[in-house]
Amino acid sequence: MGSHNQGKIDRYLHGRMSEDEKKSFEAEMEADDELKKQYLSTKAGEDARLKDKMGHRDEEMEKEKEKPVSSSSKRKWMYAAVGMAAAVLAAFFILHVESTTYSPPTVGDGGGSPFNKEVDSLVGNKEYAKALEEIEGKVTDCDNYINFYKNCIENTVPEEEEEEKLSPEEAEQKKKETEAELMELKLMKVQVLLKMEEKDKAATILKELAHEASPVQEKAKELLQEIN
């Protein structure tokens, strides 16, 4: 199975398909035993990882209950437990951003995360519209998480998300990491647009990136000079 099928499987599992796309993908699985087998294998792996993390968290919580602790320690444990739950929820969406020796992702370099490789594969096959769709899906994920972290910082998390709430300090750090990832994704989008010779659209995004302090600012300035 190619990486494109894996990308579709990931989008289906993570709820990033429209209703029509889900129906089409489900019909495709029914007609393709190999695709269905790959889907079931991927789902089983993610279910196992989620179960393992949640089981570990529950075990730690039970141990902690047996210890006499101060009110301050109880509060610290509550923040830690909530943080672990949020980490499990975010694991499917958030990429880790390295803080040192930073090199912005480059479409077509064949390296980086599985997501970068998926985009590279689509671009290599000149499936530019699909590559942009994958990037936009990640952009939406980042926007949603940034809003969630802002709510944590401002203590305005909706009741239905209360269990995933982070401490303001942790939320601030996560927000910064996710904002950096969002800038990377926008730079990747620019690179795909340039492959499509959509220079005006690419320039609009680059001007935004060039004026925002981020790890991709210098790269954005370089690309902007190249296309002007």
Side-chain angles (χ1 to χ4, degrees), residues 111-148:
S113 68
F115 172 75
N116 289 1
K117 292 177 181 178
E118 168 68 10
V119 173
D120 284 350
S121 176
L122 292 172
V123 171
N125 293 327
K126 297 185 177 181
E127 297 181 80
Y128 301 127
K130 290 182 179 179
L132 288 177
E133 183 181 351
E134 292 294 325
I135 293 171
E136 286 297 340
K138 286 283 188 181
V139 167
T140 299
D141 293 338
C142 285
D143 285 337
N144 290 338
Y145 273 94
I146 288 170
N147 287 333
F148 172 71

Side-chain angles (χ1 to χ4, degrees), residues 23 41 44 49 77 107 112 117 136 143 149 157 168 180 186-187 192 199-200 224-225:
K23 290 178 182 178
S41 176
R49 286 193 294 272
W77 169 247
V107 171
K117 292 177 181 178
E136 286 297 340
D143 285 337
Y149 297 139
V157 174
K186 288 183 178 181
L187 185 61
V192 176
K199 291 186 178 181
D200 290 342
L224 192 58
Q225 289 179 347

Side-chain angles (χ1 to χ4, degrees), residues 149-190:
Y149 297 139
K150 285 180 179 178
N151 288 340
C152 289
I153 294 168
E154 298 169 1
N155 197 28
T156 57
V157 174
E159 185 177 348
E160 61 271 19
E161 296 179 355
E162 188 69 27
E163 291 185 1
E164 285 79 41
K165 183 178 178 181
L166 305 179
S167 69
E169 295 79 12
E170 185 175 3
E172 183 65 41
Q173 179 61 33
K174 291 289 187 181
K175 176 174 168 289
K176 290 178 181 178
E177 292 176 357
T178 309
E179 286 173 339
E181 181 190 353
L182 181 59
M183 296 299 103
E184 290 182 353
L185 290 168
K186 288 183 178 181
L187 185 61
M188 290 179 71
K189 182 177 179 179
V190 165

Side-chain angles (χ1 to χ4, degrees), residues 189-190 193 196-206 227:
K189 182 177 179 179
V190 165
L193 288 171
M196 301 169 67
E197 298 186 357
E198 296 279 1
K199 291 186 178 181
D200 290 342
K201 292 181 180 179
T204 298
I205 299 173
L206 285 172
I227 65 177

